[in-house]
Amino acid sequence: MLLILKGVGLLVLALGIFSIFSLKAPKGKEAMSALAGTAIATFLVEAIHNYISGDLLQISFLKDVGLSSGNMGGVIAAILVPLKMGVNPIFAVVAGAALSGVGIIPGFVAGYVIGFVAPIIEKKLPKGVEVIFGALMIAPLARFIAIAVAPVINSTLLNIGNVIIGASEQSPMIMGFILGGMIKVICTSPLSSMALTAMLGLQGLAMGISCIASFGGAFANGIVFKRLKFGDSSNVIAVMLEPLTQADIVTAHPVPIYFSNFIGGGLAGISAVYFGIITNAPGTASPIPGMLAPFAFNPPSSVLMALFFAAIGGITGGLMGTTIYKFFTERKENSLKRQTILTSVLKIFH
């Protein structure tokens, strides 16, 4: 129980830090969006082509593609983050090229710092030589930053991830529900569950829970949008495939959506635990990547069963959440109507 409390507490702490950075730090949202893109470009490609196309289908060329992509996390992060922040593409590529062998999170930190430093260097240097001298300055700076922060990353964020992984393995059912519910809420919020799970380096059962919950919880979103009439059919499909596309509707109706998400994601997480789904591709916690990545590490029949029951869990969460929300909403509306009628009657007699 102590490990569960510690795991959940550290997850909430990480989520708090992640939220503050994403919402309050200068260009934090752009940087986190780039980190999520990095996870797709590296971890997801590695999971599918290395383990499925390579190991399962025995296509050696695609296995090489997967291996190459998986080793480029730090490089791609250092390129995409400053690019998303509006840096000169040449400087962004220079920063990434200097980070061979560096992990995704040190690469992310280096890219974020370069995102602010590169424009200053470009502005201060004389026209005509700013690209050459800027490149010569940015390359060693990027690698110095990445190497300097790596020990801190390993002793903080990755340690938090290890505690969550340990808690999931020690008390799988409880953590399946809690972790699955929280990840799906994050997945639907303006934050990024892909970025968070990449930052924490989640693997094994914890990442399997996150993937399956992201997929199953998508059905909770579909039910909520359909039953509460949030948009039309295109909105329903869009929120199921990628919740961030419907951020305006989600932020306008957070209570029924997040409540249903937590229940649906939690039930889907239990499905992942029951069928023993593991995923060693951090950062793939999103409906479509979450559906695909587990096939690289588990028997296809187990994944299909987990996805099937996760979908049922998501639908159940959506039905439960909307039913409870409708009950309290109608009760409140009826109470207001009675008060209005009573006020009108008293005015007549007065």
Side-chain angles (χ1 to χ4, degrees), residues 20-242:
I20 292 171
F21 178 85
S22 183
L23 300 175
K24 300 297 183 181
K27 298 187 178 181
K29 188 175 293 186
E30 290 84 353
M32 284 300 178
S33 174
L35 181 61
T38 301
I40 293 176
T42 57
F43 295 142
L44 180 63
V45 173
E46 179 189 29
I48 301 303
H49 284 316
N50 181 15
Y51 298 103
I52 296 179
S53 304
D55 293 343
L56 185 63
L57 301 180
Q58 294 295 305
I59 304 175
S60 59
F61 171 75
L62 291 180
K63 182 174 179 65
D64 290 340
V65 170
L67 288 170
S68 177
S69 298
N71 290 326
M72 296 290 283
V75 173
I76 302 303
I79 294 173
L80 281 184
V81 171
L83 274 180
K84 194 76 171 179
M85 295 170 68
V87 166
N88 184 325
I90 295 177
F91 291 153
V93 174
V94 165
L99 299 191
S100 175
V102 172
I104 185 171
I105 304 306
F108 166 79
V109 175
Y112 183 68
V113 175
I114 295 300
F116 293 103
V117 174
I120 297 174
I121 293 176
E122 188 174 21
K123 184 178 179 180
K124 296 294 183 181
L125 291 174
K127 291 292 181 181
V129 299
E130 77 278 9
V131 173
I132 296 174
F133 286 101
L136 293 175
M137 294 171 64
I138 287 172
L141 177 61
R143 189 163 187 90
F144 174 78
I145 294 170
I147 293 174
V149 301
V152 179
I153 296 299
N154 291 333
S155 62
T156 52
L157 288 176
L158 296 184
N159 187 48
I160 291 174
N162 289 333
V163 172
I164 295 171
I165 292 170
S168 300
E169 293 173 349
Q170 187 180 93
S171 304
M173 286 297 178
I174 297 175
M175 285 298 293
F177 184 80
I178 296 174
L179 180 60
M182 292 183 69
I183 289 295
K184 187 55 198 175
V185 169
I186 298 166
C187 179
T188 305
S189 74
L191 303 174
S192 170
S193 53
M194 295 183 70
L196 178 63
T197 52
M199 288 179 68
L200 298 178
L202 292 190
Q203 296 189 51
L205 181 60
M207 194 62 229
I209 292 169
S210 301
C211 285
I212 299 299
S214 297
F215 169 81
F219 291 87
N221 278 331
I223 294 294
V224 173
F225 271 55
K226 186 70 175 177
R227 293 195 74 193
L228 300 183
K229 297 180 173 59
F230 294 159
D232 54 24
S233 298
S234 62
N235 297 105
V236 174
I237 295 172
V239 78
M240 291 181 69
L241 294 177
E242 179 45 68

